[in-house]
Amino acid sequence: MLTVENIEKMYEGKPLLRGISFELKQGETICLLGRSGSGKSTLLRIIVGIELPDSGRILWAGKDMANVPIHERNFGLMFQDYALFPHKNVFNNVAFGLRMIGVPADQVKKRVEIELDKVGMLNFSRRRVTELSGGEQQRVALARALVPKPRLLLLDEPLGALDKTLRGQLLQDIHTLLLETGIPAIYVTHDQEEAFRIADRLLILRDGEIVQSGAPQSIYRDPKDTWVAKFLGLNNILPARIVRFNPLTVETDIGELEIEPFREIQYKIGQEVDLLIRPDALIINQAGNNQISGKVKDVFFLGEGYHVIVKLNSTTLEFDLAQELKIGDAIQGSLDANSVSIL
Ligand code: ATP
Ligand code: MG
């Protein structure tokens, strides 16, 4: 439905967006993931039409949106800071956009109440928005973005300032809403966990370009380079050298390791590569290939398990484990070849 074609944008002589292109299908949720200042909000503003690109096009169902005014595009944007009107109550905040386009009062009432009900805020209709918590304001902002029945929803870090429990709940609510309404959405965040949970597809933005796109599972399994891996919180990256084929074997500081070749790439014997060891790779006390031994340097309790920092030779790696270990414990185990790959 939406086609973003080769969008370029400069600010103060510096390129911010450099040739951004992607498509969004009906019912699909794309997550745009990038560091602070990477141009995520700017891209949403360009799509919505409140900002112009230097070059490139935004198309909807094949039609160029360049000369289509904002309200006729009918793309809903939920701003990063909610941008509610502080002097208006909840009802009037949500009603504002409908009144602006001349929707009759009885219909405004009906439609606003439906949206407020969807986000669980109907009982707050008469409350001033300044007397709401962050999470409640977020729900009102969501209702306001939904009430014009947008054909595309753009959500700019909608859970920005909320605590973790609330984020989880609201994320689920937004997911349900998107599934029920079938509205395609672009969801901007810099939180990988949030992106993994809600996205059908991820776009990873770096230095103004989309450096990797794909299903969350495939990007997590096979990040294209060290930067993407680290950005996704995968910190176990180890220099290695190819020593054998069949099975593919590399030499590292922690010993020789057999790995699964995820990609159809021809390696050479002796080639230097970066190895990614995912945090689920370590199986404690298991005999087999890829034996390693080390010492526990630090342990973090995660609720459902433990995040353990292990020192092996001169290398420090992080693993998620079910069993409780203590600082100083010696550990023996093997690394699952399926959780080790070449970047
Ligand atoms: P965050 O995650 O912090 O919200 P972002 O990815 O949304 O960041 P943008 O708000 O798009 O980033 O801004 C990208 C860069 O462009 C920033 O360095 C910002 O200072 C700059 N910028 C944004 N708007 C303007 C403007 N109107 N004029 C000049 N520079 C701008
Ligand atoms: Mg932003």
Side-chain angles (χ1 to χ4, degrees):
M1 297 307 289
L2 179 76
T3 306
V4 172
E5 204 179 82
N6 219 2
I7 294 294
E8 306 264 345
K9 182 76 185 175
M10 307 261 283
Y11 273 140
E12 291 156 354
K14 280 190 235 125
L16 178 64
L17 300 173
R18 304 187 297 170
I20 301 288
S21 298
F22 63 91
E23 289 187 1
L24 179 67
K25 293 195 279 280
Q26 188 60 42
E28 189 183 25
T29 301
I30 280 187
C31 257
L32 186 62
L33 198 57
R35 294 232 163 101
S36 182
S38 60
K40 305 181 294 295
S41 298
T42 305
L43 182 58
L44 291 195
R45 288 199 300 271
I46 288 172
I47 294 172
V48 152
I50 51 186
E51 193 152 344
L52 288 175
D54 297 336
S55 62
R57 299 193 303 167
I58 304 295
L59 300 105
W60 181 264
K63 183 174 187 257
D64 192 341
M65 293 284 106
N67 296 315
V68 178
I70 297 170
H71 67 276
E72 282 174 26
R73 291 190 190 191
N74 197 13
F75 298 163
L77 172 61
M78 180 173 161
F79 290 91
Q80 191 162 9
D81 55 2
Y82 315 149
L84 296 171
F85 305 112
H87 54 281
K88 290 191 198 296
N89 68 20
V90 167
F91 184 94
N92 289 332
N93 260 280
V94 178
F96 180 80
L98 295 181
R99 287 176 179 149
M100 285 289 284
I101 53 169
V103 176
D106 57 329
Q107 274 192 47
V108 169
K109 184 165 186 298
K110 211 165 123 195
R111 285 172 62 177
V112 169
E113 286 178 354
I114 288 172
E115 295 309 328
L116 284 176
D117 191 35
K118 263 191 212 161
V119 299
M121 289 297 292
L122 191 52
N123 292 335
F124 292 78
S125 290
R126 302 291 146 203
R127 188 85 77 82
R128 284 172 67 111
V129 294
T130 48
E131 291 159 3
L132 298 175
S133 74
E136 289 158 357
Q137 289 185 38
Q138 191 271 353
R139 287 168 186 275
V140 175
L142 187 59
R144 189 180 58 176
L146 286 169
V147 78
K149 297 197 171 66
R151 49 191 183 176
L152 168 68
L153 192 59
L154 305 164
L155 300 158
D156 195 354
E157 307 210 26
L159 311 180
L162 307 175
D163 68 57
K164 199 170 178 214
T165 318
L166 206 50
R167 289 169 82 102
Q169 277 169 17
L170 288 170
L171 190 65
Q172 211 171 321
D173 291 349
I174 291 173
H175 195 219
T176 307
L177 262 170
L178 293 176
L179 288 176
E180 280 175 7
T181 57
I183 304 176
I186 303 178
Y187 186 107
V188 162
T189 179
H190 54 241
D191 184 317
Q192 316 82 359
E193 208 182 306
E194 214 171 288
F196 284 149
R197 286 181 56 180
I198 200 162
D200 298 315
R201 195 148 54 94
L202 293 182
L203 302 179
I204 299 187
L205 194 62
R206 180 194 181 189
D207 296 338
E209 291 175 306
I210 294 168
V211 290
Q212 192 168 6
S213 73
Q217 299 85 333
S218 67
I219 294 187
Y220 186 78
R221 276 204 84 64
D222 195 14
K224 76 177 269 255
D225 58 24
T226 307
W227 189 91
V228 174
K230 289 199 164 155
F231 181 65
L232 297 177
L234 298 165
N235 294 317
N236 292 335
I237 294 162
L238 203 60
R241 207 162 54 85
I242 310 276
V243 292
R244 257 192 312 284
F245 300 128
N246 299 320
L248 188 57
T249 307
V250 295
E251 187 177 66
T252 72
D253 174 54
I254 62 171
E256 279 197 0
L257 300 174
E258 280 179 15
I259 57 180
E260 285 292 318
F262 280 102
R263 291 185 226 148
E264 300 290 315
I265 294 177
Q266 295 297 313
Y267 297 105
K268 292 191 196 74
I269 300 290
Q271 188 179 341
E272 311 272 342
V273 293
D274 276 331
L275 210 60
L276 170 66
I277 301 173
R278 270 180 290 281
D280 62 357
L282 179 61
I283 309 165
I284 292 279
N285 296 332
Q286 178 170 286
N289 294 333
N290 297 345
Q291 283 294 314
I292 55 160
S293 60
K295 202 168 196 177
V296 175
K297 214 171 119 185
D298 209 345
V299 180
F300 299 91
F301 178 53
L302 298 177
E304 66 277 18
Y306 299 86
H307 189 68
V308 182
I309 316 291
V310 184
K311 181 112 169 73
L312 311 110
N313 273 343
S314 57
T315 301
T316 303
L317 298 176
E318 306 174 14
F319 296 103
D320 292 330
L321 293 172
Q323 46 279 72
E324 184 174 3
L325 293 168
K326 291 189 179 55
I327 295 175
D329 282 354
I331 59 162
Q332 290 269 336
S334 70
L335 293 180
D336 182 353
N338 285 304
S339 290
V340 182
S341 52
I342 293 175
L343 289 170

